[in-house]
Structure formats: structure tokens, C-alpha cells
Amino acid sequence: MTNEHYFSPQPTSASQPYVIRVALPEGTLNLSTDRGVFSYGALDTGTRLLLLKAPPPAPTGNLLDLGCGTGAIAITLALRSPNATVWAVDVNERAVELTRQNAVANQVHNVRACVPQDVPEDMLFDSIWSNPPIHIGKPALHELLLHWLAKLSPSGAAIMVVQKHLGSDSLQAWLTARGYPTERLASAKGFRLLRTTRASR
Ligand SMILES: C[S@@+](CC[C@H](N)C(=O)[O-])C[C@H]1O[C@@H](n2cnc3c(N)ncnc32)[C@H](O)[C@@H]1O
């Protein structure tokens, strides 16, 4: 029995890798999932919506998977934009290591998985994709999003998937009010897919 969250920096639950197959338009990923990391044993429904419905990411530059977990989003970004560098960040060190291993196992070589503080301070991102950690609580989530959205390049866009009953509509309104115009791209199975840009100044 453990009270561990999927966002513990160092999960204490015993590692027990379990490989899942994720069918995407570009092919099938073999992804190792693990205990102590979000979405053990299956691809999250929201993440699936993002992977299937998101518009193409920027073809070059730096892209970000914010809260990478197993790396499903980062690896998909890397496959869709092979000439870009994909930064995959997570506070959970087991997730970072899993993303690294999953990238190699899927022959993807343009993913840099690391803890957030290892991303160079002045880096800007042309695409940010995320299934954000809603369960860290609203104040922490807002702080996290403002930190990383400030790193969107002027023409960049963030694509996020959020569960409707966990506040996707109020998050959309809050982001827009904070200077990040946010529109709904899709809605399915209780999830909303949101697109956020920087307000033109
Ligand atoms: C909802 S999960 C999504 C995981 C993965 N992207 C997926 O789609 O399966 C959110 C992730 O955000 C991570 N996280 C929580 N707080 C974070 C923070 N401050 N910075 C970066 N990642 C964080 C969690 O550890 C978790 O892996």
C-alpha cells in the first residue's frame, strides 16, 4: 500500500515494467510503462486523443513534451518532426529514464529527456504538447503553465489535453484571460483538446 503520486520525484514502488503497443498513423510504438509513472499498463485516453487529433507540430526547432511520463507524446513529436529537437521533461526521475529508454527502443534519436531544471534557461519552444498534471492542484498547475508557456516562441502553439470534469473549460478561460488565447480543437470521451498561443503584442 502506498500513497505515492505519479508525480513523486523518486517513486518508491518496486519497478515492474510492462510493455504496451500504441498504434499511431505513422506506425506502432512499443512503450514500456512502469509502476510509479502515470498511466501504468495502458495509454491514457486523453493522451490518445492528443496523439490522434493534434495538428502537425513545428517541423524544426525545439519542441516540448511537458510532463512526459512514459514518453508517448515526446516520441510521437520526434517521429512527426524528425528534424526538430524534442525536450521531454518530468519531475519524476523514473519517468525521465523510461522516456529515454522508450525513445531508444523505438529508434528515435531526437528526444532529450530530463528533469525540468536541466532545460537551458533561455530556450524557446515552437510547439509544446502536454497532458498536464492536473492533480498537482490548481495553484501549482497555473504556475507550471505560466512558466512554460512564457517559453513559447512568438509563432509557437501549445496543444494540451484536459479532462472536462477536471476543469478544462475553466482552464481555457483562465489561460485566455492571462494573455494566452486558447481555443478548443476537439472534444471526445470527456476530454478537451486545447490550442494555446501567445497574445500578439
Ligand atoms: C497526466 S501525466 C502525463 C504523462 C504522459 N505525458 C502521458 O501522456 O502519458 C502528467 C505528468 O506530469 C508530470 N509532472 C508533474 N509535475 C510536474 C512539473 N512540475 N514539471 C514537469 N512535469 C511534471 C507528472 O510526473 C506526470 O508524469
Side-chain angles (χ1 to χ4, degrees):
M1 185 67 185
T2 170
N3 289 325
E4 186 167 84
H5 294 294
Y6 61 76
F7 44 89
S8 295
Q10 283 152 346
T12 51
S13 51
S15 172
Q16 196 174 334
Y18 179 89
V19 177
I20 60 170
R21 288 165 66 78
V22 175
L24 295 174
E26 44 276 278
T28 299
L29 303 182
N30 288 309
L31 278 187
S32 189
T33 67
D34 202 352
R35 293 173 66 204
V37 176
F38 178 76
S39 198
Y40 180 49
L43 186 71
D44 178 66
T45 306
T47 302
R48 185 182 302 280
L49 176 70
L50 188 155
L51 297 183
L52 294 180
K53 298 280 186 208
T60 57
N62 290 298
L63 318 184
L64 174 69
D65 172 3
L66 174 56
C68 58
T70 60
I73 293 175
I75 292 167
T76 303
L77 279 169
L79 286 170
R80 291 184 188 168
S81 295
N83 295 316
T85 300
V86 180
W87 293 80
V89 303
D90 207 295
V91 284
N92 179 334
E93 292 173 15
R94 187 177 290 177
V96 171
E97 189 49 38
L98 206 51
T99 294
R100 259 185 215 134
Q101 291 171 5
N102 279 330
V104 171
N106 287 279
Q107 279 98 46
V108 161
H109 303 292
N110 53 331
V111 170
R112 309 268 172 280
C114 61
V115 291
Q117 53 272 29
D118 287 351
V119 174
E121 189 93 358
D122 55 353
M123 179 152 293
L124 293 182
F125 297 100
D126 299 295
S127 300
I128 297 176
W129 283 15
S130 184
N131 180 349
I134 302 296
H135 290 100
I136 61 177
K138 204 186 262 190
L141 177 71
H142 285 177
E143 190 185 333
L144 180 71
L145 294 180
L146 289 179
H147 175 80
W148 291 100
L149 290 174
K151 297 176 182 294
L152 262 183
S153 67
S155 59
I159 308 294
M160 292 186 278
V161 68
V162 182
Q163 220 166 334
K164 181 170 166 14
H165 90 264
L166 293 180
S168 56
D169 295 353
S170 63
L171 183 65
Q172 178 181 351
W174 181 83
L175 287 167
T176 302
R178 291 305 298 256
Y180 292 101
T182 299
E183 58 177 329
R184 190 193 303 168
L185 293 183
S187 187
K189 298 190 174 168
F191 286 86
R192 309 282 208 218
L193 191 66
L194 304 177
R195 178 177 185 273
T196 300
T197 53
R198 304 188 74 121
S200 41
R201 297 174 207 282

